[in-house]
Each structure stands twice: as C-alpha cells, then as structure tokens.
Amino acid sequence: MRVAVIGGGVVGLSATVALLRQGIDVWCHERGEPMAERSAGDTRIFRLAHACPDMVRLAGRSRALFATWSERAGVALVDEVGTVVSGAEAGGWAEAMAAAGVAHELVEAGSPRLRLPAVTFAGPALIDPAGGVIRVDRVRAFLVGAAGARLRPVHVDAIEETASGVRVRAGAESDTFDAVLICAGAGTSALAAGVGIDTPRVLEHHLRVSFPLRPAAPAPLSCWITAPADGVLGTYQHQDGPGSWAVGGDVDPALVTWANGREAAEEASLAAVTGYVAEHLPFVEPRPIGRVYCTHNPGLGDGLQFARRGRVLAVHGENLMKFAPLLGEMLARSAVEGSTPENAGPSVA
Ligand SMILES: Cc1cc2nc3c(=O)[nH]c(=O)nc-3n(C[C@H](O)[C@H](O)[C@H](O)COP(=O)(O)OP(=O)(O)OC[C@H]3O[C@@H](n4cnc5c(N)ncnc54)[C@H](O)[C@@H]3O)c2cc1C
C-alpha cells in the first residue's frame, strides 16, 4: 500500500511516523520547513482538562503516547509542571475530568497550591497535575528524524481521484497513491475542496508573545488557561524557556480578522497582550522579547474533525499539538483501513 501525507506539520509528521512503523510505503509532502507554520515555536501547553469527558479521555490517550514517544526519543517531550484553568470554565472542566476519572483539584484563587505569575484573578481554579509544557523543539527533532528521507520537499498543487488511485500533483510531477491524508493546516481547505471535501476556510491571525519573568516569580510555574472576565482577555500562558513567559490572548476578533492583514493584526495583538501583562501579571515584565505567529480557523475550539471522500481523508481542528501522537495513530489506522475516525468535541458553526 502507498500512502501520501500532505503537510509536514506536527499532525502530518505524526501520521507519517505511525505509518512507517507499520511498514507502509508513505511519503510526507511539505512545501516549506517541517513544523514551521501552525506548529512553529518551541513550546505548547498540554492538558487533560477539557470541556467534555470524551476530550479528557482522548487527551489521556495522547499523554500516554507522548510517554512512548519520549522513550523512543530518549528525552522527555512534556515537562510536567501541571496546567491550571481559572475562571468561569474551571467548574465545568473539573466535572468533565471527574466523569473521565482523572486526577484533578479545584481550589480557590490565592491558594498556595497554585504556582502562577499573578497574585489575584477570577477564581476558582482547576489544577490538572498531568498537564505541562510540550517541548515542541524536541518533538520536531524526533519526528523529522523518524520521518527521515520520507519527507518530500514539494508544494502540492492538487489531489485528484483517478481509476488507479489518488493522483498527487506537484508542479510538473505527479505520483499516484492508494490513500491520501490531508494534514495541511492552513492549506487544507484548498486541497480538500478539489476532491469535494468541505473544511473551514476562514482564517484569522494569531500571535503569542514572550516576556521576561521577574526573579521573584515562583518556580516551576504551571501552565495557565484563563477564561475572559469583565473585559479582561481570556489567555493561555506558560514558561517557554529559561526566564521567559509566553502569553497568547483571545483578542477582539475585529482586530485579527484576515482582511486586516498580518502586520496590523500582530500589532493589535501585541498591544492587547502587553496591556494584559502590565495590569495582571506582577511577576512578568511587560517588555516583549519574542513572538510566535500563526493562522487558525476561528471557532473550532478543542475539537478533532475528520472528513473523507473516497480514498482521501482530511483532518482539521485547533490546539492539535496536544493530540498529535494520538492523531498520528488514528490517521494511520484510518488510511490503512479506509475508515474515518469519529469526530470529537465542538465543530465549527
Ligand atoms: C501560537 C500558538 C499557540 C498554540 N498553542 C497551543 C497549545 O498550547 N496547545 C496545543 O495543543 N496546540 C496549540 N496550538 C495549536 C497547534 O500548534 C496546532 O493546532 C498544530 O501545530 C497544527 O499542526 P498541523 O500539522 O495541523 O498544521 P501545520 O503545522 O500548519 O502543518 C501543516 C503543514 O502543511 C504544509 N502545507 C500546506 N499546504 C501545503 C501544500 N499545498 N503542499 C505541501 N505542503 C503544504 C504547511 O507548510 C505546513 O507545514 C498553538 C498554535 C500556535 C501557533
């Protein structure tokens, strides 16, 4: 069997590596550097905490597979500093974790159990002890190494069903496969539409900004998800390097809409996030020292969405890094069996 994976982000590489372990003749097509678009940067947040028990269970399976990857890589791929979820969502997410039977703790804001760069915030807070920082730099090295020469540096122009298989066209070249996985991130909707699969097209700009931690900050700090409250941004935050704290915010959608252009959206996000840090994080200097930009399809939340037409399967969703090892296994199995994984979590409106 020959399988083409389109996209060498974390999802496509995970699927490629899972297929290679099954002895499948798989080729991963990537138009640029691997893991340089939505998978760019060196860190992400891992959490079991989700809004519904199914997603908590899926995250648990992914965490176990991260452990397997870590063994194979010979280095820890998740730093287990815990993840805290605060604000309106904490209670409901705690219930989902309880229903899934995983360890968690609900505490009041200001509890000494919390290791955050803030003193006060809208409580209560949920502690997810299995959460932590995904070391994307190490994941990238592991996956690129494992995919090896199976990474093809090409821009795929089109995918077409033919009588003998699925033709993948890249410039003047074409190759035919028994199955195709579209894992092309921002490029997915254009390629999928060519074979009649509809996936979200609307894109938004997003920026995560890093700031210096003040020496008095507690160590190690937990990752932190804050819900929006009383005009204060919802954010996600974590330590992304020695002495460095990364913050991404749910900036007003009008400021980051695609039509505004990347530069204006980055500037607006930078101002909003820096303002939040100055006002709410006493252990962080509001002085930007780094940024990671990406696009995303707004409104997807934490869901995993799959769509198949014939021999082609497309995947989309947001916050996919934490599910990467699991997605790799699911996509590999589906490519071989010709099946479609069940959707999970919220889908786009
Ligand atoms: C700042 C930021 C913070 C985030 N925080 C978190 C977090 O805390 N936790 C979490 O789990 N997730 C988080 N995410 C989301 C997560 O990183 C992404 O969901 C995940 O990396 C997506 O991986 P992907 O493989 O689907 O997409 P990508 O990494 O974008 O990979 C798609 C690849 O396809 C290639 N491609 C596209 N079209 C073509 C074509 N026609 N031909 C050839 N190649 C093509 C692209 O070059 C790209 O490399 C965050 C993302 C960002 C940017």
Side-chain angles (χ1 to χ4, degrees), residues 125-288:
L126 167 66
I127 299 175
D128 170 2
V133 178
I134 303 171
R135 297 294 303 267
V136 176
D137 49 349
R138 296 176 178 174
V139 170
R140 186 180 294 115
F142 167 64
L143 290 176
V144 169
R150 292 306 176 123
L151 255 170
R152 261 185 192 164
V154 292
H155 180 112
V156 173
D157 298 311
I159 300 165
E160 300 146 355
E161 280 272 7
T162 71
S164 54
V166 190
R167 187 182 300 139
V168 172
R169 278 202 298 108
E173 298 184 0
S174 76
D175 199 352
T176 302
F177 296 87
D178 302 300
V180 171
L181 296 173
I182 308 180
C183 312
T188 290
S189 63
L191 289 171
V195 287
I197 299 176
D198 194 26
T199 62
R201 287 150 199 263
V202 179
L203 292 176
E204 219 176 48
H205 303 279
H206 180 73
L207 189 72
R208 186 181 91 187
V209 187
S210 301
F211 302 90
L213 277 167
R214 298 189 197 276
L221 284 158
S222 298
C223 303
W224 190 18
I225 316 277
T226 72
D230 300 331
V232 181
L233 282 187
T235 67
Y236 62 89
Q237 318 181 20
H238 66 281
Q239 187 154 358
D240 65 334
S244 177
W245 188 248
V247 184
D250 302 331
V251 176
D252 178 352
L255 299 173
V256 291
T257 186
W258 196 247
N260 288 2
R262 174 172 172 173
E263 199 178 325
E266 281 206 36
E267 286 318 302
S269 302
L270 182 67
V273 171
T274 306
Y276 166 88
V277 170
E279 200 172 338
H280 297 283
L281 303 186
F283 292 122
V284 184
E285 270 184 64
R287 177 168 61 83

Side-chain angles (χ1 to χ4, degrees), residues 6-13 29-40 43-47 134 154-158 183-188 191 206-208 225 236 238 292-295 302 315 317-323:
I6 318 298
V10 74
V11 176
L13 284 172
H29 302 68
E30 170 53 52
R31 64 185 171 188
E33 288 297 311
M35 288 178 63
E37 290 203 2
R38 292 178 174 175
S39 308
T43 53
R44 292 289 188 275
I45 296 174
F46 182 85
R47 57 186 152 94
I134 303 171
V154 292
H155 180 112
V156 173
D157 298 311
C183 312
T188 290
L191 289 171
H206 180 73
L207 189 72
R208 186 181 91 187
I225 316 277
Y236 62 89
H238 66 281
V292 175
Y293 166 86
C294 73
T295 67
D302 278 317
V315 58
E318 210 178 316
N319 290 328
L320 298 183
M321 186 68 74
K322 57 188 148 72
F323 291 113

Side-chain angles (χ1 to χ4, degrees), residues 3-4 28 57 64 72 84 121-122 138 155 174 185 188 195 248 276 303 312 316:
V3 179
C28 181
R57 288 189 197 99
R72 279 161 54 195
V84 171
F121 54 87
R138 296 176 178 174
H155 180 112
S174 76
T188 290
V195 287
Y276 166 88
V312 182
H316 65 272

Side-chain angles (χ1 to χ4, degrees), residues 324-340:
L326 178 65
L327 273 172
E329 297 286 330
M330 291 166 97
L331 291 167
R333 186 176 323 118
S334 297
V336 171
E337 291 175 354
S339 59
T340 309

